[in-house]
């Protein structure tokens, strides 16, 4: 990050999506003195004149108009009025100018339709809420729509799925800019999971788990997170949970939406990413501490899940000190 705090500008418009806008404010707009003086500056740019109507009966006064986009390092598009609602030329032109000078632009949920109308998603992978994904592909066939992921990072153009996935994408940007410790700090304030992979499915066709399942499996999950470097078999996990193997597998999936193996892999990848981002630990040691056993296994899973090697990931995401 530069010495001058990075300016994040959120777009506001008549008919504003309140939750998505609130995500941008919560992550980028609140003062966070515990994270140092270089934390983001934040402003709101209005597309329309006068007090803006937001969903839920809220009225909003912005800091300025679209001229604020000219100074933004990052622009957030928090949803849009509708998948087929026209996007004014004045907005698409402002976004194209911002992109041409190097600004990052991210969309939350239906905000992808604003980026699509600007042409900035042509030839790129992008996502939106799963219920809009087919429409996005039909209206803009030049976009490679990824309908079943939480977010897509294409460098300076980023898109997220449904409303809450915007939190994941914003935290992802914090990780890019300030490192995992800062992202974890913000996540703790939000009381959300500090990191979900962008490729994770948008929704899981499982019932909400009962409180009893959470109470029984919660201590097991804590135990596994504390000992990711150890070997864990299905039998040993079921025994610790005090369940038969069949019951354990059924209840684990109901609680997490994943098999135990998938859950462990995601946790180990998250541990490895944190180690790579925050230090000079050798890749072999990262593999051991994250539970992969060998650097070759770590490289295999990084390439399979993230499309890059651990060394490339470190070079791209390690925070400068």
């Amino acid at each position: 990050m530069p010495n001058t705090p990075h300016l994040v500008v959120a777009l506001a418009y008549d008919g504003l999506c309140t939750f998505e806008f609130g995500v941008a404010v919560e992550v980028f707009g609140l003062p966070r003195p515990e994270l140092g003086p270089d934390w983001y500056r934040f402003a709101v740019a209005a597309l329309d004149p006068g007090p803006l109507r937001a969903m839920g009966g809220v009225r909003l006064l912005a800091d300025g108009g679209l001229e604020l986009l000219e100074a933004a390092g990052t622009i957030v598009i928090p949803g849009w009025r509708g998948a087929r609602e026209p996007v004014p030329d004045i907005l698409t032109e402002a976004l194209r100018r911002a992109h041409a000078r190097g600004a990052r632009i991210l969309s939350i949920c239906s905000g992808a339709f604003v980026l699509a109308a600007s042409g900035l998603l042509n030839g790129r992978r992008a996502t939106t809420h799963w219920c809009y994904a087919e429409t996005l592909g039909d209206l803009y066939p030049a976009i490679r729509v990824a309908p079943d992921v939480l977010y897509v990072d294409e460098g300076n153009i980023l898109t997220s799925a449904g409303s809450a996935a915007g939190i994941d994408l914003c935290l992802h940007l914090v990780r890019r800019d300030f490192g995992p410790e800062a992202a974890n700090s913000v996540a703790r304030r939000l009381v959300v999971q500090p990191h979900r992979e962008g490729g994770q499915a948008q929704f899981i066709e499982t019932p909400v788990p009962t409180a009893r399942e959470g109470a029984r499996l919660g201590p097991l999950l804590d135990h596994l997170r504390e000992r990711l470097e150890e070997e864990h078999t299905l039998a040993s996990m079921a025994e610790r949970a005090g369940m038969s193997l069949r019951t354990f597998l059924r209840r684990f999936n109901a609680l997490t939406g994943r098999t135990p193996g998938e859950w462990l892999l995601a946790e180990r990848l998250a541990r490895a990413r944190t180690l790579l981002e925050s230090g000079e630990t050798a890749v072999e040691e990262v593999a051991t501490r994250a539970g992969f056993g060998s650097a070759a296994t770590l490289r295999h899973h990084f390439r399979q899940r993230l499309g890059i090697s651990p060394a490339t990931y470190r070079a791209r995401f390690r925070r400068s000190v």
Side-chain angles (χ1 to χ4, degrees):
M1 294 294 290
N3 292 330
T4 301
H6 186 93
L7 176 61
V8 178
V9 175
L11 178 70
Y13 49 87
D14 205 46
L16 180 66
C17 297
T18 306
F19 182 88
E20 290 86 338
F21 178 75
V23 168
V25 173
E26 184 72 27
V27 175
F28 302 115
L30 297 188
R32 300 189 186 276
E34 71 276 11
L35 296 178
D38 293 336
W39 191 248
Y40 306 102
R41 293 179 294 139
F42 185 79
V44 179
L47 169 63
D48 305 300
L52 304 174
R53 295 170 297 174
M55 301 301 292
V58 176
R59 297 276 178 162
L60 179 72
L61 288 175
D63 296 305
L66 294 183
E67 73 279 356
L68 291 175
L69 302 185
E70 298 172 8
T74 297
I75 297 168
V76 182
I77 306 172
W80 185 236
R81 295 163 178 154
R84 298 181 184 276
E85 287 293 315
V87 181
D89 290 342
I90 189 174
L91 175 56
T92 58
E93 291 167 3
L95 292 174
R96 285 193 289 268
R97 288 196 302 271
H99 177 259
R101 65 172 175 76
R104 294 186 303 203
I105 309 176
L106 70 91
S107 66
I108 301 175
C109 196
S110 57
F113 288 89
V114 176
L115 279 175
S118 72
L120 294 177
L121 294 182
N122 289 345
R124 299 178 184 270
R125 289 181 71 244
T127 193
T128 186
H129 192 289
W130 58 266
C131 72
Y132 300 138
E134 184 175 356
T135 303
L136 183 65
D138 290 342
L139 294 177
Y140 303 98
I143 300 172
R144 292 182 285 127
V145 178
D148 56 353
V149 299
L150 292 177
Y151 58 83
V152 174
D153 180 346
E154 288 272 299
N156 276 6
I157 300 290
L158 306 96
T159 54
S160 70
S163 304
I167 299 174
D168 298 293
L169 178 54
C170 291
L171 288 174
H172 171 71
L173 270 191
V174 173
R175 286 173 68 92
R176 277 179 48 174
D177 293 342
F178 291 97
E181 293 85 1
N184 291 346
S185 175
V186 176
R188 283 194 298 271
R189 288 278 296 273
L190 290 169
V191 197
V192 297
Q193 187 171 333
H195 179 71
R196 292 196 295 172
E197 291 179 26
Q200 186 169 326
Q202 287 193 31
F203 63 96
I204 303 163
E205 294 286 4
T206 55
V208 175
T210 65
R212 178 169 173 267
E213 288 170 359
R216 293 187 68 179
L217 289 176
L220 171 65
L221 300 186
D222 291 339
H223 172 83
L224 296 174
R225 288 191 182 101
E226 292 169 0
R227 297 168 175 81
L228 289 175
E229 71 281 2
E230 298 178 7
E231 181 180 356
H232 303 284
T233 66
L234 289 176
S236 68
M237 288 186 281
E239 182 179 3
R240 175 167 284 275
M243 301 176 186
S244 69
L245 182 57
R246 179 178 297 180
T247 299
F248 169 70
L249 290 173
R250 183 178 69 251
R251 292 185 176 174
F252 193 98
N253 183 265
L255 182 67
T256 68
R258 298 178 174 187
T259 67
E262 291 167 344
W263 184 89
L264 273 172
L265 175 58
E267 292 292 322
R268 284 169 169 158
L269 282 170
R271 169 76 61 80
R273 291 171 68 158
T274 297
L275 291 170
L276 290 167
E277 291 169 9
S278 59
E280 296 290 343
T281 308
V283 171
E284 189 72 46
E285 185 178 349
V286 169
T288 299
R289 291 171 61 182
F292 288 100
S294 70
T297 301
L298 175 64
R299 293 187 185 100
H300 167 76
H301 287 295
F302 254 67
R303 290 192 180 279
Q304 185 177 62
R305 298 294 291 271
L306 304 177
I308 58 177
S309 70
T312 302
Y313 182 89
R314 166 176 277 159
R316 184 177 301 176
F317 293 105
R318 182 175 55 196
R319 184 184 175 192
S320 298
V321 296

